[in-house]
Amino acid sequence: MKTVVIGGGPAGCAAAYTLRKQGHTVDLFEASDRLGGRTKQLYRDGFNLGTGALFLMGGIYPRTMALLKEMNHYKDLVPWQGSAELADEDDARYPVRFDSIASFLGLPVLQFRDKLRLVSEGLKLFLSPGPKNPFNGSELARFDVGENLEDWSRRHLGDRAHEYIMRPIVDFLYAVPLRELSTPFPKAIIQQAWKLALSVPPGGIGQVSEWLVESLPGESIHLPARSSGLSATASDGGCSHMAGTMRRIAWSSQPKRLLRPGSWVISSAPTRNADSWRHLHRVRPRRGGV
């Protein structure tokens, strides 16, 4: 079966890898000039810069680790070095390691009772019930009581621990104010901290996508493949025509079969593609569908 995968991020590349492994012919289309999507690497003036995720989280990512072992690239991972400094308002700087929460306990601005409170609350959280899978939205929703992460942090850990531990870590990881985050996901990560082993491919996280498509023939990877418009006709059964590199490819929020026998399209950008598909919703093919 011939399959088209739209999107060359980790999800699209993983789909292409799995389909290729199962014996299907795969064409991968990516709008950017590099694979990786929101995890791609930028190369400028001899520097290799990450644009999104910076590390893998070991046992927190069991499926990713299983794929890396299957491809024989697990052994290529190297420990992620999280050395950094916190800059205080008075320009004082405190060395910490983002790969070691314990390193924050040595901050001189924390008093003994702050550290004791941190350890006590950490143990309570570790032993309390929570989601088994931090990436399962349904599980997370069951433990969401409507409290944002900043209020929880200040109430349970205190203001100093919030400002010198929670804010630096969360700002670094998510670039989103704690007040805009709910608590189930970070709690689930803390509860499963024993599984954490931060690592990274030697070429950066974007290299994971490159590893996934190593088995694809070069002519099957289309970079960059930008579309300039969508149109549809009933005679095509609702398929969209895409100007530019890609033609007669359906955009959809889930894998859908084209009317032409033996071909599938898989989208790895469901939100954007669902919006495009709504534009075509008025088309009602006489029979079949996409």
Side-chain angles (χ1 to χ4, degrees):
M1 178 180 293
K2 184 171 183 178
T3 307
V4 171
V5 176
I6 301 174
C13 291
Y17 168 80
T18 303
L19 290 163
R20 172 78 174 175
K21 184 177 66 172
Q22 294 174 352
H24 302 296
T25 301
V26 180
D27 277 281
L28 176 70
F29 291 85
E30 165 57 40
S32 175
D33 59 355
R34 296 196 63 85
L35 294 172
R38 287 180 289 179
T39 67
K40 71 179 180 181
Q41 304 296 128
L42 290 180
Y43 298 92
R44 296 288 187 274
D45 301 323
F47 291 94
N48 179 4
L49 307 173
T51 63
L54 295 176
F55 48 75
L56 301 172
M57 297 169 65
I60 302 293
Y61 295 163
R63 295 178 182 177
T64 302
M65 293 300 150
L67 279 174
L68 291 173
K69 290 176 181 178
E70 187 176 291
M71 295 186 296
N72 201 31
H73 279 301
Y74 180 79
K75 59 180 176 53
D76 296 325
L77 298 177
V78 296
W80 181 72
Q81 302 296 326
S83 298
E85 288 185 337
L86 297 185
D88 213 338
E89 292 179 341
D90 60 359
D91 290 331
R93 293 179 177 269
Y94 311 117
V96 294
R97 294 184 60 88
F98 280 100
D99 58 339
S100 172
I101 300 299
S103 69
F104 286 80
L105 295 177
L107 292 172
V109 292
L110 295 179
Q111 299 178 1
F112 177 76
R113 64 171 177 266
D114 296 321
K115 301 175 184 179
L116 190 62
R117 189 173 180 180
L118 273 166
V119 173
S120 173
E121 290 295 331
L123 287 173
K124 288 180 186 177
L125 186 58
F126 186 74
L127 297 174
S128 63
K132 301 298 182 185
N133 181 354
F135 300 100
N136 185 315
S138 298
E139 279 192 60
L140 294 175
R142 289 202 300 270
F143 291 91
D144 191 348
V145 296
E147 186 175 29
N148 67 67
L149 189 55
E150 179 176 345
D151 289 346
W152 179 89
S153 172
R154 291 189 185 279
R155 184 160 60 88
H156 287 271
L157 306 179
D159 290 337
R160 274 189 295 270
H162 170 80
E163 294 294 340
Y164 287 96
I165 299 180
M166 290 297 292
R167 271 196 62 196
I169 292 175
V170 174
D171 285 352
F172 165 72
L173 290 176
Y174 303 109
V176 175
L178 276 74
R179 185 161 290 280
E180 297 180 14
L181 295 172
S182 59
T183 59
F185 178 76
K187 284 183 178 180
I189 296 296
I190 293 172
Q191 289 172 329
Q192 300 186 42
W194 57 276
K195 295 181 180 179
L196 286 174
L198 305 184
S199 60
V200 64
I205 289 295
Q207 193 171 13
V208 172
S209 296
E210 297 170 3
W211 284 343
L212 285 164
V213 298
E214 283 177 332
S215 63
L216 289 183
E219 64 272 16
S220 298
I221 303 174
H222 306 272
L223 304 171
R226 297 182 177 90
S227 63
S228 60
L230 291 168
S231 63
T233 61
S235 61
D236 281 336
C239 293
S240 62
H241 292 266
M242 305 188 65
T245 307
M246 296 183 285
R247 296 183 182 278
R248 290 180 60 80
I249 295 177
W251 290 60
S252 61
S253 58
Q254 298 178 3
K256 302 285 185 177
R257 194 168 75 169
L258 301 181
L259 291 182
R260 297 190 303 279
S263 65
W264 286 71
V265 170
I266 292 178
S267 161
S268 60
T271 303
R272 182 183 64 187
N273 295 344
D275 289 340
S276 301
W277 193 248
R278 265 194 291 278
H279 169 70
L280 304 175
H281 184 67
R282 65 179 182 276
V283 178
R284 295 186 179 276
R286 285 188 292 272
R287 51 183 187 188
V290 178

